[in-house]
Amino acid sequence: MPTNGITAAPVIDVPRGLAGVVVTDTALGDVRGREGFYHYRQYSAVELARTRSFEDVWHLMIHGELPDPVRSAAFVRETAALRTLPDEVRAALPAIARAGSVSGPLAGLRTALSLFGASRGFRPVYDIDANRRLEDTLLATAVVPTMLTALHRLGEGLDPVEPRADLSYAANYLYMLTGAEPEPGHARAIEQYLISTIDHGFNASTFTARVITSTGADVVACLVGAIGALSGPLHGGAPSRALDTLDAIGTPDRIDPWVRERVLAGDRIMGFGHPVYRTEDPRSRMLRGIAEGFGGPLVEFAVEVERRVEVILAELKPGRELHTNVEFYAGVVMELCGLPRSMFTPTFAAARVVGWSANILEQAQDSKIIRPAARYVGAEPPVAVPLPG
């Protein structure tokens, strides 16, 4: 009803979970689930992962174009110079790591990144211009790998490893994680994984970042909210769980009975199925190729499990297209490259922070706050308030 001359906006019913609901326009990319294709600014994301560096795709996402060799080298130098943490943040990391000894580096990242934003004086995106917003996203993105690896090492009783400006984003990440310069093949495999997971439509964490940005909050506040969404096992917390599935099956002769038991019980098999794709996940296809390039028993077993799971799912759930998603072979590749499982989802965050940043920059151009409605289903109001006593 009209109130004070203002007509309330109509309430529109939408699908549960906002599935398929368009909430904004974006020039950053799209996911075409029925085609098994997704892109970053018109370029196939998988093709970018096969042919370009992480820094080139980072440049594409925030500047809107792939850099030429001169600009690429300049961007690498610019971002590499931002990796070192301020003294006040570095001094706080041991306490953050101790407090998060159970929850791990991703939870610690929320605290460390908040401290970083405060120490650098990050201001609300509503109050700053586009250049300052861009600077803030570069600063925050560059330090995320440094924080994650430091928190992991401190949790293991090891000293953090200082970043090296002469290594690429991916190679430096592995270097800070292990303390040793990585093999080129491992660095490139992780780089390709990172590129393939930079962005992927309006997933839960990206949408969270944009909702917070719409309030005018600072860049770090937006990123911390996105990290919280990513930490959920139904979003970014699945790569290690998918690998746990392989461990639970154990041997090839146990694949069929193990899978049948879980499917018939209605359990979800981690690493299979996707809310958008109705065909093979292109990220999984690419990562399977990377894994097969390494070879070995784990890869052979994973490929056989994938084959049998798809056969059994087709038999027990006819008419449904269920294939491996990115988490299944991501876990295999990260295991082969020596990453501990506790760092699988944090590694995902080290990539997705670029996509979040690009979305923050895009959303900050729109001053309209995101404020949907909810349907009240509780007891009929008003109810008299009982007197105390």
Side-chain angles (χ1 to χ4, degrees):
M1 295 180 62
T3 303
N4 295 329
I6 300 175
T7 303
V11 176
I12 303 171
D13 284 337
V14 298
R16 186 165 173 258
L18 300 180
V21 175
V22 174
V23 296
T24 193
D25 295 329
T26 181
L28 297 176
D30 190 26
V31 181
R32 300 175 185 171
R34 296 190 180 278
E35 300 174 35
F37 171 79
Y38 73 114
H39 67 92
Y40 304 152
R41 295 190 183 272
Q42 298 184 318
Y43 297 101
S44 163
V46 170
E47 188 64 23
L48 287 169
R50 288 181 176 141
T51 62
R52 303 299 290 248
S53 69
F54 183 86
E55 285 87 349
D56 280 357
V57 183
W58 185 358
H59 187 283
L60 168 69
M61 293 301 290
I62 65 170
H63 287 297
E65 61 183 7
L66 284 169
D68 60 27
V70 174
R71 290 181 179 176
S72 176
F75 188 71
V76 167
R77 290 192 298 271
E78 177 187 5
T79 54
L82 304 176
R83 294 170 178 167
T84 302
L85 298 176
D87 290 341
E88 57 269 32
V89 176
R90 186 187 294 109
L93 290 180
I96 295 173
R98 286 194 300 272
S101 59
V102 175
S103 50
L106 197 62
L109 177 64
R110 299 198 298 263
T111 303
L113 197 55
S114 290
L115 179 59
F116 175 78
S119 72
R120 295 302 300 259
F122 276 38
R123 295 168 54 210
V125 295
Y126 186 81
D127 295 331
I128 57 179
D129 62 22
N131 287 334
R132 178 60 190 272
R133 294 170 193 159
L134 175 60
E135 292 173 5
D136 286 354
T137 66
L138 290 176
L139 281 168
T141 299
V143 298
V144 162
T146 309
M147 291 177 179
L148 287 172
T149 54
L151 289 167
H152 168 74
R153 290 182 64 85
L154 287 165
E156 297 294 315
L158 302 170
D159 291 331
V161 174
E162 289 299 309
R164 280 175 49 180
D166 62 317
L167 295 176
S168 69
Y169 187 92
N172 179 64
Y173 179 72
L174 291 176
Y175 168 71
M176 290 189 297
L177 186 66
T178 65
E181 190 167 332
E183 296 179 17
H186 289 171
R188 180 56 182 157
I190 294 302
E191 181 172 51
Q192 289 179 285
Y193 165 69
L194 292 173
I195 293 171
S196 73
T197 52
I198 279 175
D199 193 51
H200 201 250
F202 261 44
N203 55 82
S205 58
T206 296
F207 184 51
T208 300
R210 292 190 73 128
V211 169
I212 299 173
T213 305
S214 79
T215 72
D218 67 75
V219 164
V220 162
C222 304
L223 293 175
V224 169
I227 294 165
L230 185 74
S231 67
L234 297 184
H235 188 10
S240 60
R241 293 172 184 246
L243 206 57
D244 290 343
T245 295
L246 298 181
D247 290 343
I249 295 172
T251 56
D253 60 294
R254 281 176 41 83
I255 297 174
D256 284 28
W258 190 94
V259 173
R260 286 182 181 277
E261 179 182 346
R262 271 128 191 102
V263 173
L264 292 173
D267 296 340
R268 181 182 178 187
I269 300 178
M270 301 304 286
F272 286 80
H274 193 276
V276 176
Y277 289 116
R278 294 298 174 263
T279 183
E280 187 177 20
D281 187 331
R283 301 168 298 177
S284 177
R285 183 167 56 245
M286 184 196 75
L287 290 166
R288 181 174 62 236
I290 294 173
E292 289 175 329
F294 287 117
L298 174 61
V299 178
E300 294 172 3
F301 185 50
V303 170
E304 180 63 14
V305 168
E306 177 190 20
R307 186 182 72 83
R308 289 305 305 159
V309 168
E310 291 190 350
V311 168
I312 295 169
L313 287 173
E315 173 193 337
L316 299 180
K317 293 183 177 292
R320 293 185 61 187
E321 287 282 343
L322 292 172
H323 303 278
T324 53
N325 54 42
V326 65
E327 286 89 2
F328 188 79
Y329 282 106
V332 173
V333 169
M334 285 189 275
E335 182 97 339
L336 293 172
C337 291
L339 275 73
R341 295 187 189 185
S342 62
M343 288 299 289
F344 284 8
T345 302
T347 302
F348 191 175
R352 188 56 61 85
V353 66
V354 169
W356 294 331
S357 293
N359 275 275
I360 289 166
L361 293 174
E362 187 176 67
Q363 184 65 45
Q365 298 172 10
D366 183 356
S367 61
K368 181 69 173 179
I369 191 171
I370 298 174
R371 209 284 191 190
R375 181 189 295 108
Y376 175 72
V377 296
E380 185 67 24
V383 174
V385 178
L387 296 173

